[in-house]
Amino acid sequence: MEGHTAHHVVSDDFEDIDLEECVPDEAELPDVDSDLAKTRLARLVAMIERMEPTRPEIMRAVPLHRVLACVGKVFWTAEGDFFQLSKETTSYDEFLSHSWQVESWKKVLLLMILKNGFPASVIGTSGALLMVVLWQFGFLPGFVKLEFQFSFWCSVVGMTLGLSTLIFWRSHRLVFVDRMCINQFDGRMKAERIMNIGAMLKASKSLLVVWDESYADRLWCIFELAAFLKAHPEVSSGKSRILQVKPLMLGFTVCNLCVCVFLAGTFGVLNPAEDLMVIWSLLLLFMLFEGLSLSHTVRGYYRSLEASNRKLQQFELRHSFCWCCSVNHLNPASGQPIQVCDREIVRQCVTSWFGSEQEFDHSVRSVVAHALKQQLGCDAFPYTWMLGSTTPLLWPLFDFVASYQGAEKMRYLAPSWAIRILAYWLWGIPFPATVGLFAARCLREKGQSRFRDFLKTLLVIIIAAPCGLVVIGWQIYIELNFFDELQSGHETWASLLFVGGCAVMFWAARKAYHLSNQRFFKSLTLATS
């Protein structure tokens, strides 16, 4: 921060205070006598407790699109100076609190889904609908299927625009990311960050916690959470959503579901078979292989949630990992004693803010658990997330609407297909998915061998498959029994009958699912007792 040192000079008491083992290590202070160390510790704690910046220039933020640039390069590369991408600010739209001990690609996936997922769905779907319109004017080539020209443009354009938006969407929300907002090559600035962490969190409109098994073990992660709870007491009431807690595996689970439903829809478009039963047989076989991958992922998601929940219920500040304690308060480089312990800094601040460590422990367990339950629901995968994850299925299904609308002899089917697509998206797919989620949660424990684990994954498919077959059978029944009537103009009523059946099946499954979760997973819910 050249050119600003005249405004405020950081105390010489702080030579090198870092955050974490990777980016960066935790606190190391110079060797001083015990009384002087206590005095400096008291001064440091007092500075943090005030939650006021030591100087305006220390408050820096970075636009969100720069955080996710180059597929989140800041998280997975050890090289580069990202500090120059940040700028001075007086407030933050969001403070990102995360552990550097987890796989970076999972973190990047989650952030992309959370921040760019909605615009990707909207733009991808808009592009697919535009292709439906353009296909009617004969501007686009297709391929022959069922003796008429068939479109594939909705699938191609929808996926291209959706994926491009997911990666390149330029959100200008100002966020705090430690590696980008703190000069990693300036030891004094890293030390000064400790004194200003309270001020930064006080100036943050929201806190995003990337929750994983290691988060509760990281001392400075927990300290960030403590400072935010102190600066925003409304969070503790449970009425505010400014504390966002998202499981690390949620992003990967959503991405897996998106890919599976898109491939299933694309397979339906490109399937060369003409016989109805052959088409559905091949599609079901294809979906079986996709289902195994998805089932394995969802089981892993529930295992990670259970492990994180167990860590949360057992959380105690005194068990959090502290770098200086891990090296027995001896500087590995110089061999000199580290007089001021990070844990002592955090402990004194927490005691001042919350009254005692025990009260803070209880606050973390209750507030974080409530946020998780509020944002994920009792099934840990909300219906709205399910709709967002299955949006890519709409794009290949729009190809059916475009193709039927463009073929004169099949045009009467276009309105009914449009209605069915909506039914599949809102209820037809979520119905078996709901049953599959419950089965995956029941069978989440890893098998003692790979073969047994595979059998558990397969069993999830076997449990959920009948529900999917019921939906498909319901559609086939409608087509076979109303085909002649469809030609006389009753196709809309037949499709509405299909919609009603799907809605009833989904509603019944969802009610049973929630009741089952409340009964069988009471001890594993995401709220503390």
Side-chain angles (χ1 to χ4, degrees):
M1 309 228 349
E2 298 176 3
H4 297 295
T5 54
H7 294 89
H8 178 91
V9 179
V10 182
S11 170
D12 289 333
D13 295 347
F14 306 99
E15 293 293 330
D16 187 18
I17 299 180
D18 298 333
L19 298 180
E20 281 197 87
E21 206 167 334
C22 294
V23 185
D25 295 330
E26 294 182 349
E28 291 182 46
L29 295 176
D31 183 19
V32 294
D33 62 71
S34 180
D35 291 338
L36 183 56
K38 290 180 181 179
T39 301
R40 291 177 175 174
L41 173 62
R43 290 170 55 194
L44 175 58
V45 171
M47 290 178 186
I48 298 174
E49 287 178 349
R50 285 199 299 267
M51 291 190 170
E52 296 295 335
T54 55
R55 54 193 172 100
E57 300 92 325
I58 196 67
M59 305 282 284
R60 298 183 69 88
V62 62
L64 180 60
H65 69 87
R66 297 199 173 191
V67 177
L68 297 176
C70 300
V71 199
K73 182 179 180 180
V74 65
F75 296 107
W76 50 261
T77 182
E79 301 177 355
D81 181 9
F82 300 96
F83 178 71
Q84 297 178 358
L85 300 176
S86 64
K87 59 183 180 181
E88 293 181 16
T89 186
T90 57
S91 64
Y92 304 91
D93 292 313
E94 193 166 66
F95 188 106
L96 177 62
S97 181
H98 63 107
S99 168
W100 289 93
Q101 308 304 308
V102 299
E103 298 95 333
S104 57
W105 65 270
K106 290 182 180 179
K107 194 184 307 180
V108 172
L109 266 183
L110 176 63
L111 292 175
M112 283 188 168
I113 291 295
L114 288 176
K115 305 306 179 184
N116 299 348
F118 180 73
S121 298
V122 172
I123 292 176
T125 303
S126 300
L129 287 172
L130 178 61
M131 293 303 104
V132 174
V133 176
L134 293 180
W135 178 264
Q136 310 311 312
F137 292 97
F139 295 152
L140 305 172
F143 65 98
V144 178
K145 178 180 177 178
L146 302 176
E147 300 180 354
F148 62 92
Q149 285 290 312
F150 221 85
S151 167
F152 58 86
W153 291 99
C154 299
S155 304
V156 173
V157 173
M159 176 52 70
T160 301
L161 290 180
L163 188 59
S164 299
T165 304
L166 186 68
I167 297 174
F168 301 111
W169 181 254
R170 292 180 64 85
S171 172
H172 293 277
R173 284 170 56 86
L174 293 179
V175 299
F176 176 90
V177 178
D178 46 13
R179 195 177 182 188
M180 305 183 78
C181 299
I182 301 171
N183 192 338
Q184 301 301 312
F185 303 97
D186 186 336
R188 289 186 177 278
M189 186 177 181
K190 289 191 289 182
E192 192 177 4
R193 187 261 187 182
I194 291 294
M195 293 183 288
N196 288 274
I197 185 173
M200 293 173 180
L201 284 153
K202 184 178 181 180
S204 301
K205 298 175 184 177
S206 64
L207 175 68
L208 173 60
V209 174
V210 179
W211 187 263
D212 68 280
E213 295 178 43
S214 71
Y215 187 91
D217 293 331
R218 310 305 300 176
L219 184 67
W220 289 109
C221 289
I222 294 300
F223 189 43
E224 291 168 352
L225 181 58
F228 188 78
L229 294 179
K230 172 62 179 178
H232 301 273
E234 66 272 20
V235 176
S236 299
S237 67
K239 298 179 180 179
S240 176
R241 285 182 173 265
I242 61 175
L243 172 61
Q244 294 289 313
V245 184
K246 301 301 182 185
L248 178 69
M249 281 291 292
L250 183 60
F252 177 64
T253 304
V254 169
C255 285
N256 199 314
L257 181 55
C258 287
V259 171
C260 284
V261 297
F262 177 76
L263 291 179
T266 304
F267 183 83
V269 171
L270 301 179
N271 189 341
E274 298 186 5
D275 184 82
L276 184 64
M277 298 305 295
V278 174
I279 291 176
W280 279 111
S281 298
L282 291 174
L283 183 59
L284 288 174
L285 183 62
F286 183 79
M287 291 175 65
L288 172 62
F289 290 102
E290 285 192 323
L292 290 173
S293 171
L294 187 58
S295 172
H296 179 75
T297 300
V298 174
R299 288 179 58 230
Y301 171 64
Y302 279 123
R303 281 198 302 273
S304 70
L305 274 182
E306 182 183 5
S308 298
N309 181 58
R310 190 183 303 113
K311 277 285 187 69
L312 177 61
Q313 292 184 358
Q314 298 172 352
F315 169 76
E316 291 185 14
L317 178 62
R318 61 191 179 93
H319 292 153
S320 297
F321 175 83
C322 174
W323 178 82
C324 56
C325 293
S326 69
V327 297
N328 200 26
H329 299 94
L330 291 175
N331 190 321
S334 65
Q336 297 296 320
I338 300 175
Q339 297 290 342
V340 180
C341 177
D342 291 352
R343 189 183 303 280
E344 189 61 23
I345 296 174
V346 174
R347 189 192 66 78
Q348 289 195 25
C349 288
V350 163
T351 301
S352 173
W353 289 337
F354 295 89
S356 67
E357 283 188 54
Q358 292 72 25
E359 187 63 29
F360 171 66
D361 293 342
H362 174 73
S363 181
V364 169
R365 287 193 291 263
S366 59
V367 172
V368 174
H370 179 78
L372 278 169
K373 184 179 181 181
Q374 184 183 53
Q375 295 161 29
L376 296 181
C378 65
D379 50 10
F381 201 87
Y383 174 62
T384 51
W385 278 85
M386 198 177 296
L387 292 182
S389 303
T390 53
T391 297
L393 177 65
L394 297 177
W395 307 334
L397 292 183
F398 285 160
D399 279 316
F400 283 91
V401 175
S403 302
Y404 289 151
Q405 182 65 27
E408 185 175 352
K409 65 177 182 178
M410 303 294 288
R411 188 165 297 161
Y412 68 95
L413 284 176
S416 64
W417 260 93
I419 295 174
R420 291 181 198 179
I421 287 173
L422 189 63
Y424 265 108
W425 182 52
L426 292 176
W427 304 297
I429 300 298
F431 169 46
T434 297
V435 178
L437 284 173
F438 180 73
R441 194 169 188 179
C442 290
L443 299 169
R444 65 192 178 281
E445 295 296 337
K446 202 167 184 64
Q448 296 179 353
S449 64
R450 289 187 178 181
F451 179 70
R452 290 185 178 182
D453 194 63
F454 171 78
L455 289 180
K456 283 191 171 186
T457 300
L458 183 61
L459 185 57
V460 173
I461 302 299
I462 293 174
I463 294 173
C467 300
L469 291 176
V470 167
V471 176
I472 294 173
W474 179 237
Q475 174 174 328
I476 293 177
Y477 173 81
I478 294 292
E479 290 183 355
L480 293 179
N481 287 274
F482 292 90
F483 187 83
D484 293 336
E485 296 185 30
L486 288 177
Q487 298 187 44
S488 61
H490 295 157
E491 68 279 358
T492 302
W493 292 108
S495 297
L496 291 176
L497 181 62
F498 174 74
V499 169
C502 289
V504 170
M505 288 184 283
F506 170 73
W507 179 84
R510 203 70 180 175
K511 286 294 184 181
Y513 181 33
H514 289 166
L515 180 61
S516 299
N517 272 332
Q518 292 172 4
R519 287 186 175 183
F520 298 116
F521 296 104
K522 187 175 182 179
S523 62
L524 296 174
T525 54
L526 299 177
T528 55
S529 57

